[in-house]
């Protein structure tokens, strides 16, 4: 099963500020990510932080590989194509999308978990600045 | 540090771990000065369940403790999951409450989806998968009991995600006291009244022998016919009546001098708050 696509997305560490800077030209982007502190970023602060970050990806990986074993290679390939298409349905950069198609494909529309109760992105107190976010999206900044 | 890069990434719901480092630093600095950080309120419970001839009986005490202080003298520990499935929760009170509410919603969605009444195994499976996902950080120990098409069943689920299927179960800090009563007097296929008395005695053993459990005994009888929720079935811990009077009669002590200083006070606002002395 070609999970290279999924595997490359799995994060096995929290982003390290010093080692792989997110800014352009490989320099630490102090404006956005703040000051560097290797101790701060190198290790996850909570035992669940990493596993929660990767949870959806791990679930997908598990489901796709069992689907491949049951139905053959075509099944996960077709599903991944649909996932990719559904993931592209988004709104403008600073608006929260409901991800309805993606949720339906995953089966999340039929269950309630902590993602729906806690920290609802549609009700977050902070709003991103539209101009900054569009520039970031287009790579101008 | 305000992470201004965060709004540019896709925001998801769920748990946020931003403050864990700050909390760890706060806790260490507090413990240096000798203070303890506020802890979560645990239920410090005795919960029990047995399978009898026609169904399942769940029992629980009603005390919620906050370290060494009783936070709630009459809390409800038997939660509704489905019309034929109820769940007792021990451990951290908020975790047990929210977990059972999430389970109840999921069961309702599942029933609407499949068009069939819920099975107790389905509830247990969803519970253990969720608790395992959070590796025991959600401190909820639960006893799930119900009657479905396969008959009466009783499961216990531990905070890390393991589960047991047994004819009688106890959990919580008073589990040892309650299970000793069960081990002594449990018989398979008991009658309703006998089973109710047995659960009542087990919870009472937990109330008297465990500091974390107290107040009343709640029972929940689940049969194929329906559910009977007996809140406050037994109150073994009520205060007794005082037999003698310990006040001295006025005039017992001789008065030597008396000075009266009048305070000119005006009544601005009067409110009566009744204290719960039961």
């Amino acid at each position: 099963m070609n999970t290279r696509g999924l595997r490359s997305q799995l994060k096995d560490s929290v982003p390290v500020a010093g080692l792989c800077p997110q800014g352009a030209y490989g320099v630490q982007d102090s404006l956005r990510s703040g000051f560097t502190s290797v101790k701060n970023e190198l290790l996850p602060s909570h035992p669940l932080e990493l596993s929660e970050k990767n949870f959806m990806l791990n679930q997908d990986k598990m489901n796709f590989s069992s689907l491949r074993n049951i139905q053959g290679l075509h099944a996960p390939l077709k599903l991944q194509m649909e996932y990719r298409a559904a993931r592209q349905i988004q709104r403008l950069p600073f608006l929260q999308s409901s991800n309805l198609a993606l949720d339906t494909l995953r089966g999340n529309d039929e269950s309630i978990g902590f993602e729906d109760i806690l920290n609802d992105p549609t009700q977050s107190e902070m709003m991103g600045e539209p101009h900054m976010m569009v520039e970031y999206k287009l790579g101008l900044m | 540090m305000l992470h201004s890069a965060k709004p540019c990434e896709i925001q998801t719901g769920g748990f946020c771990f931003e403050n864990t480092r700050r909390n760890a630093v706060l806790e260490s600095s507090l413990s240096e000065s000798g203070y303890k950080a506020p802890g979560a309120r645990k239920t410090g419970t005795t919960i029990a369940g047995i399978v009898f001839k026609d169904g399942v009986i769940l029992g629980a005490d009603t005390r919620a403790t906050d370290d060494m202080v009783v936070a709630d003298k009459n809390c409800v520990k038997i939660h509704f999951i489905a019309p034929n499935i109820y769940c007792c929760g021990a451990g951290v009170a908020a975790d047990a409450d929210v977990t059972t509410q999430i389970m109840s919603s999921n069961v309702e969605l599942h029933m609407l989806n499949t068009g069939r009444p819920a099975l107790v195994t389905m509830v247990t499976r969803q519970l253990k998968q969720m608790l395992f996902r959070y590796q025991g950080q959600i401190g909820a120990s639960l006893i799930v009991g119900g009657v479905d098409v396969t008959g009466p069943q009783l499961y216990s689920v531990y905070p890390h995600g393991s589960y047991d299927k047994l004819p009688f179960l106890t959990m919580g800090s008073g589990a040892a006291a309650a299970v000793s009563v069960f081990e002594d007097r449990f018989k398979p296929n008991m009658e309703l009244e006998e089973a109710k008395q047995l659960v009542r005695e087990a919870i009472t053993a937990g109330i008297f022998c465990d500091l974390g459990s107290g107040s009343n005994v709640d029972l929940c009888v689940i049969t194929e016919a329906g559910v009977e929720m007996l809140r406050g079935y037994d109150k073994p811990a009520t205060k007794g009546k005082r037999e003698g009077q310990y006040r001295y009669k006025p005039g017992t002590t001789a008065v030597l001098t008396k000075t009266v200083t009048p305070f000119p006070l005006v009544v601005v606002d009067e409110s009566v708050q009744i204290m719960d002395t039961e």
Side-chain angles (χ1 to χ4, degrees), chain B residues 106-162:
Chain B
N106 274 331
V107 161
E108 182 67 26
L109 283 171
H110 195 263
M111 287 203 296
L112 288 170
N113 221 351
T114 54
R116 296 183 183 141
L119 295 175
V120 189
T121 42
M122 190 263 284
V123 178
T124 312
R125 179 166 287 210
Q126 286 195 333
L127 264 176
K128 74 169 159 73
Q129 283 176 353
M130 188 179 88
L131 291 175
F132 183 74
R133 171 180 171 180
Y134 293 108
Q135 290 292 301
Q137 300 283 336
I138 295 190
S141 336
L142 307 153
I143 294 186
V144 186
V147 180
D148 55 24
V149 288
T150 49
Q153 285 156 74
L154 195 61
Y155 292 90
S156 72
V157 185
Y158 288 80
H160 282 267
S162 63

Side-chain angles (χ1 to χ4, degrees), chain B residues 11-268:
Chain B
Q11 286 193 326
T12 48
F15 291 108
C16 175
F17 299 102
E18 271 179 18
N19 285 335
T20 37
R21 258 192 212 99
R22 175 204 75 167
N23 292 348
V25 169
L26 277 179
E27 261 192 60
S28 64
S29 69
L30 272 180
S31 67
E32 271 166 32
S33 2
Y35 299 110
K36 224 160 51 108
R41 183 205 292 185
K42 305 191 81 151
T43 48
T45 311
T46 310
I47 48 176
I50 63 172
V51 175
F52 71 106
K53 194 177 74 164
D54 307 316
V56 164
I57 301 186
L58 298 171
D61 72 307
T62 55
R63 174 183 284 183
T65 52
D66 195 353
D67 238 358
M68 283 292 128
V69 177
V70 174
D72 193 344
K73 284 184 279 199
N74 208 357
C75 69
V76 191
K77 298 186 189 177
I78 306 185
H79 310 277
F80 168 89
I81 302 247
N84 55 335
I85 303 174
Y86 274 68
C87 175
C88 304
V92 180
D95 288 348
D97 270 349
V98 169
T99 306
T100 46
Q101 281 170 10
I102 289 181
M103 273 309 118
S104 169
S105 309
N106 274 331
V107 161
E108 182 67 26
L109 283 171
H110 195 263
M111 287 203 296
L112 288 170
N113 221 351
T114 54
R116 296 183 183 141
L119 295 175
V120 189
T121 42
M122 190 263 284
V123 178
T124 312
R125 179 166 287 210
Q126 286 195 333
L127 264 176
K128 74 169 159 73
Q129 283 176 353
M130 188 179 88
L131 291 175
F132 183 74
R133 171 180 171 180
Y134 293 108
Q135 290 292 301
Q137 300 283 336
I138 295 190
S141 336
L142 307 153
I143 294 186
V144 186
V147 180
D148 55 24
V149 288
T150 49
Q153 285 156 74
L154 195 61
Y155 292 90
S156 72
V157 185
Y158 288 80
H160 282 267
S162 63
Y163 75 102
D164 283 318
K165 177 174 195 261
L166 291 167
F168 62 88
L169 287 163
T170 59
M171 291 192 94
S173 56
V179 86
S180 60
V181 174
F182 277 158
E183 296 271 2
D184 191 28
R185 280 173 261 181
F186 175 79
K187 294 189 301 287
N189 289 330
M190 283 194 290
E191 295 297 323
L192 173 65
E193 279 312 313
E194 204 186 338
K196 270 173 32 177
Q197 288 312 308
L198 183 60
V199 178
R200 187 190 65 91
E201 276 161 31
I203 304 286
T204 312
I207 288 175
F208 285 130
C209 305
D210 175 44
L211 287 179
S213 320
S215 299
N216 316 330
V217 177
D218 284 348
L219 284 191
C220 181
V221 182
I222 310 175
T223 51
E224 249 185 73
V227 174
E228 201 191 341
M229 182 76 177
L230 300 157
R231 181 128 166 84
Y233 178 72
D234 186 30
K235 301 192 176 164
T238 41
K239 275 189 184 166
K241 263 174 63 90
R242 282 235 171 97
E243 294 299 321
Q245 264 286 11
Y246 295 97
R247 285 176 175 277
Y248 290 109
K249 283 199 290 289
T252 313
T253 330
V255 177
L256 295 177
T257 48
K258 192 159 123 178
T259 332
V260 177
T261 319
F263 271 128
L265 296 172
V266 177
V267 175
V268 175

Side-chain angles (χ1 to χ4, degrees), chain A residues 111-132:
Chain A
S111 65
I112 293 185
F114 286 109
E115 313 76 58
D116 304 304
I117 304 173
L118 298 173
N119 224 8
D120 196 3
T122 52
Q123 301 189 1
S124 83
E125 301 122 8
M126 293 194 301
M127 193 186 86
E129 278 182 60
H131 298 288
M132 209 172 83

Side-chain angles (χ1 to χ4, degrees), chain A residues 21-64:
Chain A
Q22 292 109 320
Y25 311 115
V27 182
Q28 164 57 13
D29 200 358
S30 300
L31 181 67
R32 281 205 205 87
S33 351
F35 299 117
T36 56
S37 162
V38 180
K39 186 184 80 145
N40 252 355
E41 313 277 356
L42 203 52
L43 294 168
S45 50
H46 196 270
L48 284 183
E49 196 173 343
L50 279 178
S51 78
E52 279 300 298
K53 220 179 213 189
N54 292 329
F55 185 73
M56 210 72 281
L57 286 171
N58 273 327
Q59 281 280 81
D60 288 345
K61 207 167 146 189
M62 206 170 66
N63 289 337
F64 283 146

